[in-house]
């Protein structure tokens, strides 16, 4: 994505949205995942990915990812080099 010059801020916002959905799903384990994701207007192709991530992830990992994303967002706002941002985004994707 770095080679295609995607905006890192946009990517961080998308990841934040998905993490918040995952946290909500983890808290309310009695909900029907498919109905919940349909209400949030999540693409059907991504439903299985989010459901599997919800089932297999631990709360500690989700909170670590939020911490990393917050740190990245602060770096962007302070106009640090984008190269280190892309490296950290790669590391974040490995945790997901």
């Amino acid at each position: 994505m770095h080679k295609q010059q995607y905006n890192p801020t946009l990517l961080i916002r998308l990841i934040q949205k998905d993490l918040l959905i995952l946290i909500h799903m983890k808290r309310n384990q009695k909900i029907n995942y498919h109905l919940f994701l349909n209400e949030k207007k999540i693409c059907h192709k991504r439903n299985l990915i989010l459901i599997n991530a919800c089932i297999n992830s631990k709360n500690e990992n989700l909170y670590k990812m939020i911490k990393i994303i917050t740190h990245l967002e602060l770096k962007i706002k302070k106009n640090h080099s984008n190269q280190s941002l892309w490296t950290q985004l790669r590391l974040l994707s490995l945790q997901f």
Side-chain angles (χ1 to χ4, degrees):
M1 290 189 179
H2 173 62
K3 291 179 184 177
Q4 296 174 354
Q5 297 183 346
Y6 281 97
N7 185 346
T9 308
L10 179 64
L11 293 173
I12 287 175
R13 296 284 183 222
L14 293 171
I15 294 169
Q16 284 174 338
K17 179 184 173 191
D18 286 346
L19 280 175
L20 290 174
I21 289 171
L22 281 174
I23 289 171
H24 186 76
M25 289 170 63
K26 283 293 257 191
R27 285 185 182 168
N28 302 317
Q29 293 180 353
K30 294 181 181 180
I31 64 171
N32 183 328
Y33 293 140
H34 292 286
L35 289 176
F36 175 74
L37 293 171
N38 285 339
E39 288 174 5
K40 297 291 183 185
K41 297 181 181 174
I42 303 297
C43 175
H44 293 289
K45 293 178 182 179
R46 291 181 56 218
N47 280 0
L48 289 177
I49 295 169
L50 288 172
I51 291 170
N52 286 335
C54 179
I55 292 169
N56 297 325
S57 65
K58 297 179 182 177
N59 288 337
E60 297 85 29
N61 289 343
L62 294 176
Y63 294 124
K64 282 180 188 177
M65 287 189 266
I66 289 173
K67 184 178 178 181
I68 292 170
I69 289 175
T70 304
H71 180 70
L72 289 173
E73 188 174 9
L74 289 172
K75 274 188 170 183
I76 289 172
K77 289 181 180 179
K78 291 180 181 178
N79 292 325
H80 282 96
S81 71
N82 281 343
Q83 185 61 34
S84 66
L85 293 173
W86 289 106
T87 304
Q88 289 183 341
L89 278 172
R90 274 189 226 116
L91 292 174
L92 180 67
S93 69
L94 294 175
Q95 290 185 9
F96 207 17

